[in-house]
Amino acid sequence: MKLLITGGAGFIGSNFVHLVFNDHPGVSVVNVDSLTYAGNLENLKSVVNKPDYRFIKADIADRSAMEELFSAEQFDAVINFAAESHVDRSITEPEIFLKSNVFGTQVLLDMALKYKVDRFVQISTDEVYGSLPATGYFVETTPLAPNSPYSASKASADLLVRAYIHTFGLNAVITRCSNNYGPYQFPEKLIPLMITNALEAKQLPVYGDGMNVRDWLHVEDHCKAIWLVMEKGRTGEVYNIGGSNEWHNLDLVKELLTILNQPESLITYVKDRPGHDRRYAIDASKIRNELGWELKYDFPAGLRHTVQWYLDHRTWWERVKSGAYQEYYKKQYNL
Ligand code: NAD
Ligand code: TYD
């Protein structure tokens, strides 16, 4: 089987590449990534010399580059991870989110149709459903109500996938996952930002009152779910993936400080994110009942494992946090 993985140098994509080589020998992988600030080939250094692995630096929205790739290779499946993924950046710079997340997806859909790819998996997010009150869960039929430019661009891509299934008969499926955590996550997202700031004895910027709720899932559990959906998901269906693991941001930050043995005085309340969604929570019964997906990680173990990964990979995140990221950080937090 030959897979095209887009965005394979990012957080979830690189974890997925590792999962393929660890659990599914014989599968070959082409990884297309444009290497934005979030793409890091260091995440993949243990696979670069594998005969079944090939990296191509290209933008998924670049139609001629994609045409060249798809005409040269016959892919059995495309898994589209490539996207601009950070809500805060989508607030200051929405246009790039439309280019990569919407137009990029459309180019890939065209290629998948034209070159008769058997399966297209769109990696989406629970953020397309908008925000929940204190109770209730997102199910696959919850109406789309995205609130940020990021989630609006992901919802747009989902609608395009739906249209290509309905109009052209493309064999595609969509996954919508809750917040991931684990190794190789760029330290702009909550968990790695708080871990690495605490390790540098820097302030931990908590937005608003810290009472927003997220449902955390270990990236490896997410990747296993994606593999199952690719293999067995019903065409045209959406599968929610979540950790059944809701945390108020503030409690989670305090938990990280306890693990790291650092004082709560590092917590700094900063101006809230505009349009900040209050609560996300996924009902994942469909993927559990239909495809037999199960969680492997319990959160306390997963979190400790993740903290340990950042402790063991200081050079990785110090490099990632240097250079251009410093400028972004100053602008975003004024700290
Ligand atoms: P990430 O930002 O860590 O990685 C994105 C990767 O895509 C990077 O390697 C980047 O270089 C690449 N990329 C961006 N634009 C590109 C383009 N136009 N062409 C080619 N490559 C491009 O993101 P992530 O956290 O790994 O997220 C992967 C996918 O999962 C995204 O589609 C995201 O919307 C979705 N998702 C993420 C989460 C989460 O918690 N991180 C949760 C649900 C869904
Ligand atoms: P994030 O990791 O950006 O994921 P998302 O917004 O896509 O859910 O943020 C997770 C939660 O943490 C969200 O409620 C915003 C909050 N947050 C902070 O309080 N401070 C921060 O510096 C960041 C990056 C996020």
Side-chain angles (χ1 to χ4, degrees):
M1 179 198 269
K2 188 181 278 186
L3 287 183
L4 174 65
I5 292 176
T6 70
F11 164 48
I12 305 174
S14 61
N15 276 283
F16 190 82
V17 172
H18 290 299
L19 173 121
V20 171
F21 286 114
N22 290 335
D23 294 1
H24 303 283
V27 173
S28 70
V29 168
V30 175
N31 171 19
V32 166
D33 196 299
S34 60
L35 300 181
T36 67
Y37 75 93
N40 187 347
L41 289 178
E42 229 184 299
N43 303 358
L44 295 163
K45 59 176 194 256
S46 66
V47 306
V48 291
N49 292 322
K50 289 193 186 289
D52 280 340
Y53 175 77
R54 190 153 87 90
F55 172 70
I56 294 166
K57 182 178 184 304
D59 185 333
I60 57 164
D62 178 344
R63 189 171 286 274
S64 58
M66 291 305 108
E67 190 78 59
E68 196 181 316
L69 172 66
F70 278 78
S71 59
E73 306 258 10
Q74 181 55 52
F75 297 116
D76 298 299
V78 172
I79 309 183
N80 184 25
F81 293 94
E84 289 292 335
S85 67
H86 193 41
V87 173
D88 293 322
R89 289 180 192 255
S90 81
I91 294 167
T92 51
E93 216 187 330
E95 196 168 319
I96 179 72
F97 284 70
L98 267 79
K99 283 189 184 142
S100 291
N101 303 2
V102 185
F103 290 111
T105 301
Q106 192 235 333
V107 169
L108 292 175
L109 290 167
D110 282 346
M111 295 301 125
L113 266 185
K114 182 170 174 184
Y115 294 99
K116 302 190 173 21
V117 173
D118 292 338
R119 191 73 153 155
F120 190 100
V121 184
Q122 174 67 6
I123 307 303
S124 185
T125 166
D126 60 354
E127 301 192 26
V128 298
Y129 298 122
S131 185
L132 285 167
T135 56
Y137 296 93
F138 295 135
V139 290
E140 288 80 357
T141 49
T142 300
L144 301 187
N147 289 319
S148 71
Y150 163 67
S151 53
S153 70
K154 295 296 289 185
S156 308
D158 286 9
L159 293 178
L160 279 170
V161 175
R162 178 190 151 91
Y164 274 63
I165 296 164
H166 188 78
T167 306
F168 304 113
L170 186 74
N171 181 353
V173 275
I174 296 172
T175 61
R176 295 190 182 134
C177 188
S178 64
N179 289 63
N180 282 219
Y181 71 99
Y184 303 112
Q185 187 167 30
F186 193 93
E188 65 185 350
K189 305 278 171 32
L190 182 75
I191 289 182
L193 178 69
M194 298 298 159
I195 297 173
T196 57
N197 274 16
L199 290 174
E200 294 180 304
K202 281 190 183 155
Q203 291 166 306
L204 309 190
V206 170
Y207 294 160
D209 61 2
M211 287 297 124
N212 300 67
V213 173
R214 295 294 183 265
D215 168 4
W216 295 95
L217 175 72
H218 195 278
V219 64
E220 215 175 291
D221 282 327
H222 182 197
C223 290
K224 290 200 162 141
I226 293 167
W227 183 272
L228 268 180
V229 170
M230 180 190 72
E231 272 198 329
K232 298 190 190 147
R234 283 183 293 134
T235 301
E237 292 291 316
V238 172
Y239 291 90
N240 281 353
I241 307 166
S244 304
N245 176 42
E246 293 179 51
W247 283 75
H248 287 110
N249 293 338
L250 188 59
D251 294 336
L252 178 51
V253 172
K254 287 184 179 167
E255 182 70 16
L256 287 168
L257 286 170
T258 306
I259 297 174
L260 288 160
N261 201 19
Q262 295 281 344
E264 284 186 11
S265 56
L266 286 178
I267 294 172
T268 308
Y269 293 91
V270 297
K271 197 164 133 310
D272 207 354
R273 170 188 283 172
H276 195 174
D277 285 338
R278 195 65 174 167
R279 175 170 168 260
Y280 301 146
I282 282 266
D283 177 342
S285 359
K286 180 173 172 181
I287 187 169
R288 272 203 307 272
N289 297 339
E290 263 189 34
L291 307 182
W293 176 69
E294 282 171 2
L295 288 170
K296 182 179 125 192
Y297 281 89
D298 73 272
F299 193 56
L303 205 56
R304 280 180 185 277
H305 176 268
T306 302
V307 168
Q308 192 57 49
W309 189 87
Y310 283 88
L311 282 167
D312 294 343
H313 293 79
R314 196 168 180 120
T315 333
W316 181 90
W317 59 261
E318 279 180 346
R319 237 197 309 269
V320 163
K321 274 184 129 174
S322 65
Y325 181 66
Q326 289 294 348
E327 275 166 47
Y328 164 81
Y329 194 82
K330 271 197 214 107
K331 214 163 111 194
Q332 175 68 19
Y333 296 101
N334 207 15
L335 288 175

mmCIF file of all heavy atoms in Angstrom, residues 155-176:
data_model
loop_
_atom_site.group_PDB
_atom_site.id
_atom_site.type_symbol
_atom_site.label_atom_id
_atom_site.label_comp_id
_atom_site.label_asym_id
_atom_site.label_seq_id
_atom_site.Cartn_x
_atom_site.Cartn_y
_atom_site.Cartn_z
ATOM 1 N N ALA A 155 -13.913 23.907 8.690
ATOM 2 C CA ALA A 155 -15.296 23.556 8.345
ATOM 3 C C ALA A 155 -15.503 23.679 6.834
ATOM 4 O O ALA A 155 -16.175 22.845 6.213
ATOM 5 C CB ALA A 155 -16.265 24.465 9.098
ATOM 6 N N SER A 156 -14.881 24.706 6.231
ATOM 7 C CA SER A 156 -15.010 24.882 4.775
ATOM 8 C C SER A 156 -14.422 23.677 4.054
ATOM 9 O O SER A 156 -15.005 23.174 3.080
ATOM 10 C CB SER A 156 -14.263 26.129 4.317
ATOM 11 O OG SER A 156 -14.650 27.231 5.060
ATOM 12 N N ALA A 157 -13.273 23.228 4.536
ATOM 13 C CA ALA A 157 -12.635 22.064 3.910
ATOM 14 C C ALA A 157 -13.538 20.832 4.060
ATOM 15 O O ALA A 157 -13.719 20.058 3.104
ATOM 16 C CB ALA A 157 -11.269 21.806 4.546
ATOM 17 N N ASP A 158 -14.141 20.665 5.237
ATOM 18 C CA ASP A 158 -15.038 19.521 5.447
ATOM 19 C C ASP A 158 -16.203 19.566 4.452
ATOM 20 O O ASP A 158 -16.620 18.535 3.910
ATOM 21 C CB ASP A 158 -15.630 19.543 6.866
ATOM 22 C CG ASP A 158 -14.614 19.148 7.926
ATOM 23 O OD1 ASP A 158 -13.423 19.028 7.597
ATOM 24 O OD2 ASP A 158 -15.023 18.969 9.093
ATOM 25 N N LEU A 159 -16.725 20.768 4.225
ATOM 26 C CA LEU A 159 -17.865 20.892 3.308
ATOM 27 C C LEU A 159 -17.450 20.578 1.870
ATOM 28 O O LEU A 159 -18.216 19.984 1.110
ATOM 29 C CB LEU A 159 -18.483 22.292 3.414
ATOM 30 C CG LEU A 159 -19.165 22.585 4.765
ATOM 31 C CD1 LEU A 159 -19.702 24.011 4.805
ATOM 32 C CD2 LEU A 159 -20.296 21.595 5.042
ATOM 33 N N LEU A 160 -16.215 20.954 1.520
ATOM 34 C CA LEU A 160 -15.725 20.604 0.180
ATOM 35 C C LEU A 160 -15.588 19.093 0.037
ATOM 36 O O LEU A 160 -15.951 18.514 -1.001
ATOM 37 C CB LEU A 160 -14.354 21.248 -0.066
ATOM 38 C CG LEU A 160 -14.369 22.710 -0.490
ATOM 39 C CD1 LEU A 160 -12.961 23.283 -0.457
ATOM 40 C CD2 LEU A 160 -14.968 22.847 -1.896
ATOM 41 N N VAL A 161 -15.074 18.448 1.085
ATOM 42 C CA VAL A 161 -14.938 16.984 1.031
ATOM 43 C C VAL A 161 -16.320 16.359 0.844
ATOM 44 O O VAL A 161 -16.525 15.491 -0.003
ATOM 45 C CB VAL A 161 -14.254 16.439 2.321
ATOM 46 C CG1 VAL A 161 -14.224 14.913 2.316
ATOM 47 C CG2 VAL A 161 -12.832 16.995 2.462
ATOM 48 N N ARG A 162 -17.267 16.854 1.631
ATOM 49 C CA ARG A 162 -18.648 16.354 1.518
ATOM 50 C C ARG A 162 -19.172 16.528 0.080
ATOM 51 O O ARG A 162 -19.757 15.627 -0.508
ATOM 52 C CB ARG A 162 -19.529 17.136 2.504
ATOM 53 C CG ARG A 162 -20.982 16.771 2.469
ATOM 54 C CD ARG A 162 -21.826 17.759 3.282
ATOM 55 N NE ARG A 162 -23.152 17.826 2.716
ATOM 56 C CZ ARG A 162 -24.162 17.048 3.096
ATOM 57 N NH1 ARG A 162 -23.987 16.188 4.057
ATOM 58 N NH2 ARG A 162 -25.340 17.134 2.510
ATOM 59 N N ALA A 163 -18.901 17.701 -0.498
ATOM 60 C CA ALA A 163 -19.390 17.975 -1.855
ATOM 61 C C ALA A 163 -18.737 17.037 -2.882
ATOM 62 O O ALA A 163 -19.387 16.585 -3.825
ATOM 63 C CB ALA A 163 -19.120 19.436 -2.206
ATOM 64 N N TYR A 164 -17.454 16.746 -2.713
ATOM 65 C CA TYR A 164 -16.765 15.851 -3.658
ATOM 66 C C TYR A 164 -17.262 14.408 -3.525
ATOM 67 O O TYR A 164 -17.273 13.662 -4.503
ATOM 68 C CB TYR A 164 -15.242 15.923 -3.475
ATOM 69 C CG TYR A 164 -14.614 17.059 -4.263
ATOM 70 C CD1 TYR A 164 -14.933 18.382 -3.985
ATOM 71 C CD2 TYR A 164 -13.714 16.804 -5.304
ATOM 72 C CE1 TYR A 164 -14.371 19.427 -4.715
ATOM 73 C CE2 TYR A 164 -13.149 17.841 -6.038
ATOM 74 C CZ TYR A 164 -13.484 19.146 -5.733
ATOM 75 O OH TYR A 164 -12.926 20.173 -6.466
ATOM 76 N N ILE A 165 -17.678 14.037 -2.325
ATOM 77 C CA ILE A 165 -18.261 12.694 -2.139
ATOM 78 C C ILE A 165 -19.607 12.655 -2.864
ATOM 79 O O ILE A 165 -19.889 11.768 -3.673
ATOM 80 C CB ILE A 165 -18.469 12.397 -0.628
ATOM 81 C CG1 ILE A 165 -17.143 12.341 0.137
ATOM 82 C CG2 ILE A 165 -19.243 11.092 -0.446
ATOM 83 C CD1 ILE A 165 -17.274 12.431 1.661
ATOM 84 N N HIS A 166 -20.430 13.671 -2.581
ATOM 85 C CA HIS A 166 -21.800 13.692 -3.081
ATOM 86 C C HIS A 166 -21.853 13.895 -4.603
ATOM 87 O O HIS A 166 -22.574 13.212 -5.320
ATOM 88 C CB HIS A 166 -22.553 14.825 -2.366
ATOM 89 C CG HIS A 166 -24.010 14.848 -2.648
ATOM 90 N ND1 HIS A 166 -24.895 13.989 -2.037
ATOM 91 C CD2 HIS A 166 -24.739 15.613 -3.493
ATOM 92 C CE1 HIS A 166 -26.110 14.220 -2.492
ATOM 93 N NE2 HIS A 166 -26.044 15.206 -3.378
ATOM 94 N N THR A 167 -21.039 14.835 -5.102
ATOM 95 C CA THR A 167 -21.126 15.196 -6.521
ATOM 96 C C THR A 167 -20.324 14.244 -7.415
ATOM 97 O O THR A 167 -20.780 13.859 -8.484
ATOM 98 C CB THR A 167 -20.604 16.638 -6.729
ATOM 99 O OG1 THR A 167 -21.315 17.495 -5.863
ATOM 100 C CG2 THR A 167 -20.781 17.103 -8.168
ATOM 101 N N PHE A 168 -19.124 13.884 -6.946
ATOM 102 C CA PHE A 168 -18.224 13.121 -7.831
ATOM 103 C C PHE A 168 -18.026 11.675 -7.387
ATOM 104 O O PHE A 168 -17.274 10.932 -8.005
ATOM 105 C CB PHE A 168 -16.848 13.806 -7.894
ATOM 106 C CG PHE A 168 -16.909 15.254 -8.328
ATOM 107 C CD1 PHE A 168 -16.576 16.272 -7.449
ATOM 108 C CD2 PHE A 168 -17.304 15.588 -9.623
ATOM 109 C CE1 PHE A 168 -16.620 17.605 -7.841
ATOM 110 C CE2 PHE A 168 -17.356 16.920 -10.030
ATOM 111 C CZ PHE A 168 -17.019 17.932 -9.136
ATOM 112 N N GLY A 169 -18.629 11.308 -6.250
ATOM 113 C CA GLY A 169 -18.488 9.923 -5.784
ATOM 114 C C GLY A 169 -17.105 9.606 -5.227
ATOM 115 O O GLY A 169 -16.682 8.445 -5.202
ATOM 116 N N LEU A 170 -16.379 10.635 -4.742
ATOM 117 C CA LEU A 170 -15.059 10.375 -4.153
ATOM 118 C C LEU A 170 -15.222 9.502 -2.904
ATOM 119 O O LEU A 170 -16.139 9.702 -2.109
ATOM 120 C CB LEU A 170 -14.404 11.712 -3.767
ATOM 121 C CG LEU A 170 -12.964 11.605 -3.266
ATOM 122 C CD1 LEU A 170 -12.007 11.318 -4.428
ATOM 123 C CD2 LEU A 170 -12.527 12.895 -2.567
ATOM 124 N N ASN A 171 -14.312 8.551 -2.746
ATOM 125 C CA ASN A 171 -14.346 7.683 -1.563
ATOM 126 C C ASN A 171 -13.583 8.374 -0.425
ATOM 127 O O ASN A 171 -12.383 8.191 -0.276
ATOM 128 C CB ASN A 171 -13.710 6.336 -1.915
ATOM 129 C CG ASN A 171 -13.736 5.385 -0.729
ATOM 130 O OD1 ASN A 171 -14.101 5.762 0.385
ATOM 131 N ND2 ASN A 171 -13.359 4.150 -0.979
ATOM 132 N N ALA A 172 -14.303 9.178 0.330
ATOM 133 C CA ALA A 172 -13.636 9.966 1.379
ATOM 134 C C ALA A 172 -14.338 9.809 2.717
ATOM 135 O O ALA A 172 -15.518 9.455 2.789
ATOM 136 C CB ALA A 172 -13.615 11.446 0.977
ATOM 137 N N VAL A 173 -13.576 10.055 3.770
ATOM 138 C CA VAL A 173 -14.096 10.059 5.145
ATOM 139 C C VAL A 173 -13.477 11.254 5.867
ATOM 140 O O VAL A 173 -12.401 11.718 5.493
ATOM 141 C CB VAL A 173 -13.720 8.776 5.930
ATOM 142 C CG1 VAL A 173 -14.676 7.652 5.693
ATOM 143 C CG2 VAL A 173 -12.291 8.352 5.647
ATOM 144 N N ILE A 174 -14.155 11.695 6.916
ATOM 145 C CA ILE A 174 -13.671 12.849 7.687
ATOM 146 C C ILE A 174 -13.551 12.443 9.148
ATOM 147 O O ILE A 174 -14.446 11.788 9.691
ATOM 148 C CB ILE A 174 -14.670 14.031 7.571
ATOM 149 C CG1 ILE A 174 -14.778 14.524 6.131
ATOM 150 C CG2 ILE A 174 -14.282 15.178 8.519
ATOM 151 C CD1 ILE A 174 -15.877 15.558 5.886
ATOM 152 N N THR A 175 -12.424 12.816 9.786
ATOM 153 C CA THR A 175 -12.312 12.603 11.235
ATOM 154 C C THR A 175 -12.302 13.968 11.924
ATOM 155 O O THR A 175 -11.708 14.923 11.424
ATOM 156 C CB THR A 175 -11.016 11.858 11.607
ATOM 157 O OG1 THR A 175 -9.887 12.640 11.204
ATOM 158 C CG2 THR A 175 -10.948 10.493 10.950
ATOM 159 N N ARG A 176 -12.974 14.038 13.071
ATOM 160 C CA ARG A 176 -12.991 15.298 13.852
ATOM 161 C C ARG A 176 -12.544 14.982 15.270
ATOM 162 O O ARG A 176 -13.246 14.299 16.015
ATOM 163 C CB ARG A 176 -14.389 15.918 13.860
ATOM 164 C CG ARG A 176 -14.811 16.360 12.472
ATOM 165 C CD ARG A 176 -16.081 17.200 12.502
ATOM 166 N NE ARG A 176 -16.452 17.557 11.138
ATOM 167 C CZ ARG A 176 -17.672 17.474 10.631
ATOM 168 N NH1 ARG A 176 -18.683 17.059 11.377
ATOM 169 N NH2 ARG A 176 -17.904 17.832 9.385
#
